[in-house]
Amino acid sequence: GYQIFLASSIFSMAATPVLIGWGPGIADLLARFTPAARATATKREFSEGHLLIIGYGLNGSNLARAARRTGIPYQAIEMNAETVRREQRDGVFIMYGDATQPTVLESAGIANARVVVIAISDAAATARITEVARRLNPLASIIVRTRFIAEVAHLHTLGADEVVPEEFETSLEIFTRALRRFFLPRQEVDRMVEELRSSSYEALRQSGVIAAPPLRLPDFDLVSLALDDHSPAIAQTLSGLELRARFGVTVLALQRPDGIVPNPDPMEPLRPGDSLFVLGRPADLTTLEHFLHGKTTGVQ
């Protein structure tokens, strides 16, 4: 029994490298006979230049919604059968299938797709789909969402035109919002964002991105002050109120029911229900608020 056990162990160890090499091919062969490989879809004809969305999570569903609103023809592929059934009932062009299989991509019209967006969480499946999609359509623009920056280069090698790593985009969003809180000029923030993206995210790993310290205004607040029907500012103009001279504040925008008016006309009369977006020191803003609400103030 010992000899049989030893011989079996040696044989299995010797066979392991060969079986590992055959593994992907065997898996692809078996996958052809699974239900996920036999795509089912809301019936449609694929016109030249449609959008193919692989993965119907948050990113995929938002993209499909935008495509419907703008009239862009699209087709989605999803592995969650319940999601597919629910969305098909709502008229979404979505099919159930495993997008790593060429037959599923072909059923979704990959050959005629103008843009392919891969938005799934499985890194191995993402790489496989990217490779197959590029082989089936050499001309399509392939945009891939991935989790980590480390996967960007490999996906580009497999044929992706653009790779959006969540790790980077999250940090970039925080980066942008934080700098704007320090009143760094918007064009400077946008310039740094473009530099980060154009350098394939490498710049984020380097020090010294910001050459000069940002402007800090710790003693200022930006608030919105609404005008009621009895405000003494009603029917007066911003020029006539002289808010900067009297209160030391600056009006940046005016909000009305039909939208926000940036840099409002100083000769425009104010109306009930208007809201002023005002920048100033907290004490000055409090004084202005009292005035706008008809309370007594010592400012002349």
Side-chain angles (χ1 to χ4, degrees), residues 227-251:
L227 307 182
D228 57 31
D229 294 343
H230 306 290
S231 172
I234 296 300
Q236 297 197 50
T237 65
L238 292 175
S239 176
L241 288 171
E242 297 181 331
L243 299 182
R244 182 176 298 177
R246 297 173 62 192
F247 299 95
V249 302
T250 300
V251 177

Side-chain angles (χ1 to χ4, degrees), residues 87-98:
E87 297 300 323
Q88 283 183 346
R89 286 196 297 267
D90 293 337
V92 175
F93 290 110
I94 184 171
M95 64 168 56
Y96 171 71
D98 180 1

Side-chain angles (χ1 to χ4, degrees), residues 49-190:
H50 68 286
L51 167 64
L52 178 56
I53 304 169
I54 300 170
Y56 203 77
L58 178 62
N59 292 311
S61 59
N62 285 338
L63 183 56
R65 188 177 300 111
R68 289 195 297 273
R69 285 189 175 185
T70 55
I72 296 174
Y74 73 94
Q75 177 66 52
I77 303 175
E78 170 59 39
M79 279 281 289
N80 186 307
E82 180 57 35
T83 298
V84 173
R85 284 193 292 268
R86 182 182 67 248
E87 297 300 323
Q88 283 183 346
R89 286 196 297 267
D90 293 337
V92 175
F93 290 110
I94 184 171
M95 64 168 56
Y96 171 71
D98 180 1
T100 63
Q101 300 303 312
T103 53
V104 173
L105 292 177
E106 289 168 352
S107 297
I110 181 71
N112 294 327
R114 177 182 299 181
V115 178
V116 179
V117 175
I118 304 171
I120 61 176
S121 300
D122 188 322
T126 296
R128 170 68 173 162
I129 295 168
T130 302
E131 181 182 20
V132 174
R134 176 54 69 208
R135 174 161 47 86
L136 295 178
N137 188 337
L139 301 180
S141 294
I142 300 179
I143 303 171
V144 183
R145 187 211 72 182
T146 186
R147 293 186 62 189
F148 303 112
I149 297 175
E151 298 170 355
V152 172
H154 179 56
L155 290 169
H156 277 302
T157 302
L158 293 176
D161 293 293
E162 298 184 45
V163 182
V164 182
E166 291 182 350
E167 178 185 33
F168 175 78
E169 290 300 326
T170 300
S171 63
L172 187 60
E173 183 67 19
I174 295 172
F175 163 88
T176 301
R177 295 191 183 197
L179 291 188
R180 286 179 178 168
R181 290 290 182 180
F182 284 107
F183 298 96
L184 198 71
R186 180 180 293 271
Q187 61 268 31
E188 180 67 12
V189 176
D190 292 342

Side-chain angles (χ1 to χ4, degrees), residues 180-258:
R180 286 179 178 168
R181 290 290 182 180
F182 284 107
F183 298 96
L184 198 71
R186 180 180 293 271
Q187 61 268 31
E188 180 67 12
V189 176
D190 292 342
R191 181 188 64 79
M192 287 188 285
V193 168
E194 288 304 314
E195 285 183 1
L196 292 173
R197 285 203 170 102
S198 63
S199 61
S200 298
Y201 314 120
E202 290 299 323
L204 191 64
R205 303 175 182 176
Q206 302 171 4
S207 60
V209 174
I210 304 175
L215 174 65
R216 291 176 171 82
L217 297 175
D219 298 328
F220 283 75
D221 284 337
L222 176 61
V223 300
S224 173
L225 301 176
L227 307 182
D228 57 31
D229 294 343
H230 306 290
S231 172
I234 296 300
Q236 297 197 50
T237 65
L238 292 175
S239 176
L241 288 171
E242 297 181 331
L243 299 182
R244 182 176 298 177
R246 297 173 62 192
F247 299 95
V249 302
T250 300
V251 177
L252 302 180
L254 174 66
Q255 183 174 28
R256 286 183 163 160
D258 55 351

